[in-house]
């Protein structure tokens, strides 16, 4: 029996190498094409979502996620869009469809965090999802707070997140929690006028006039033309004299 010559062996090996290279190149090209297609679908879906064209938005964003399943940003945006669509539909009275969309929104948010649990913005989006859905189910605000608390673990000095936690606490009727979060926000960002403004209103509700005046005077020190703060300060002084 004949055995392959060295030349034939080299030739066969060369063809094998060429086949492998062509195959790898084809896979890479296909990956690049899919990525570009996914980008296009994502852009179209984002524009449609901004225009509240929910069906078109979900269709395009789903296509983007299908083409690029490991792209956490795509599933993050799709999750929020599902939540927004769910709320819009739910407010029209279609509770069944809204519930199905809401479930998908949360599942996609879970998937996003599995893909990238270190990205703070994804926790913020998750909070936004639950805040949006809370228009239909107010108890979901608790899960929005949980998401922001998880985000705060990644950025312990983020005053904006503390402020948002204060606002959520206020929406839940938790006055003490509201004051605590707003004070923490001011501790890390003393010139946070929005936090001081909200804090002053919470303090007034508890008739803590001196503490409220301190916050309002600080705001006016920084911005003497703040008419709302001046009017509230004047009203507080009047109330204090009663």
């Amino acid at each position: 029996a004949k055995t392959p010559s060295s030349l034939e062996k080299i030739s066969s090996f060369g063809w094998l190498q060429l086949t492998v290279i062509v195959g790898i190149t084809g896979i890479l090209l296909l990956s690049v094409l899919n990525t570009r297609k996914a980008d296009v679908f994502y852009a179209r879906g984002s524009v449609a979502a901004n225009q509240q064209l929910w069906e078109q938005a979900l269709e395009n964003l789903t296509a983007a996620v299908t083409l690029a399943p490991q792209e956490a940003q795509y599933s993050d945006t799709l999750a929020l869009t599902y939540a927004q669509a769910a709320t819009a539909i739910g407010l029209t009275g279609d509770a069944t469809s809204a519930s199905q969309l809401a479930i998908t929104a949360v599942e996609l948010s879970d998937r996003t965090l599995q893909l990238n649990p270190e990205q703070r913005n994804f926790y913020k989006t998750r909070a936004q999802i639950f805040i949006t859905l809370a228009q239909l189910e107010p108890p979901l605000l608790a899960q929005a707070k949980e998401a922001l608390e998880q985000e705060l673990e990644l950025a312990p000095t983020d005053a904006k997140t503390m402020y948002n936690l204060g606002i959520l606490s206020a929406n839940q009727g938790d006055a003490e929690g509201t004051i605590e979060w707003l004070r923490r926000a001011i501790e890390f960002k003393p010139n946070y006028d929005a936090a001081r403004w909200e804090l002053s209103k919470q303090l007034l509700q508890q008739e803590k006039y001196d503490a409220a005046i301190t916050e309002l005077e600080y705001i006016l020190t920084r911005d003497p033309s703040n008419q709302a703060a001046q009017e509230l300060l004047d009203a507080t002084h009047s109330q204090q004299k009663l």
Side-chain angles (χ1 to χ4, degrees):
K2 283 188 174 181
T3 58
S5 66
S6 298
L7 186 59
E8 288 174 332
K9 288 180 181 179
I10 294 173
S11 178
S12 297
F13 182 70
W15 278 108
L16 178 60
Q17 283 185 311
L18 180 60
T19 302
V20 170
I21 291 170
V22 170
I24 292 174
T25 302
I27 292 171
L28 292 174
L29 286 173
L30 182 60
S31 176
V32 170
L33 288 174
N34 282 341
T35 299
R36 290 183 178 177
K37 286 182 181 179
D39 289 342
V40 171
F41 282 123
Y42 179 76
R44 290 175 180 171
S46 298
V47 170
N50 289 335
Q51 296 174 345
Q52 298 184 7
L53 301 173
W54 304 123
E55 184 175 353
Q56 183 179 337
L58 292 174
E59 180 181 343
N60 280 281
L61 290 171
T62 299
V65 170
T66 301
L67 287 167
Q70 299 302 310
E71 179 53 67
Q73 182 61 56
Y74 291 174
S75 60
D76 184 63
T77 302
L78 180 57
L80 178 58
T81 305
Y82 262 105
Q84 293 168 332
T87 302
I89 292 172
L91 292 175
T92 67
D94 188 350
T96 301
S97 296
S99 177
Q100 293 171 344
L101 293 172
I103 290 171
T104 303
V106 176
E107 289 175 346
L108 282 164
S109 179
D110 291 342
R111 173 182 174 180
T112 300
L113 293 177
Q114 288 173 356
L115 289 170
N116 190 344
E118 303 301 322
Q119 174 54 260
R120 291 169 48 202
N121 288 336
F122 295 154
Y123 293 95
K124 292 180 180 179
T125 301
R126 186 175 180 84
Q128 189 177 352
I129 286 168
F130 284 118
I131 290 170
T132 301
L133 295 175
Q135 296 177 61
L136 305 176
E137 296 288 341
L140 290 176
L141 286 178
Q143 289 177 261
K145 283 183 67 176
E146 181 181 342
L148 287 181
E149 286 168 353
Q150 289 176 311
E151 188 265 329
L152 200 59
E153 291 178 5
L154 298 174
T157 62
D158 187 348
K160 176 66 173 178
T161 298
M162 297 172 194
Y163 170 82
N164 287 333
L165 281 164
I167 298 301
L168 281 175
S169 297
N171 289 334
Q172 291 180 301
D174 180 7
E176 292 301 324
T178 302
I179 290 173
E180 180 182 350
W181 281 116
L182 292 174
R183 280 181 168 158
R184 284 183 62 182
I186 292 167
E187 178 184 350
F188 285 101
K189 186 179 179 182
N191 63 348
Y192 203 161
D193 289 350
R196 289 183 181 273
W197 171 252
E198 293 297 333
L199 177 57
S200 68
K201 293 192 294 183
Q202 288 294 322
L203 292 168
L204 285 173
Q205 288 180 14
Q206 296 192 9
E207 299 183 352
K208 297 179 179 179
Y209 300 115
D210 289 340
I213 287 170
T214 297
E215 301 303 330
L216 292 168
E217 287 180 340
Y218 184 94
I219 293 172
L220 288 166
T221 298
R222 285 173 39 78
D223 181 13
S225 63
N226 190 321
Q227 186 175 354
Q230 185 63 62
E231 290 176 356
L232 187 57
L233 179 62
D234 293 341
T236 302
H237 281 304
S238 299
Q239 184 70 28
Q240 198 176 29
K241 293 176 183 178
L242 297 179

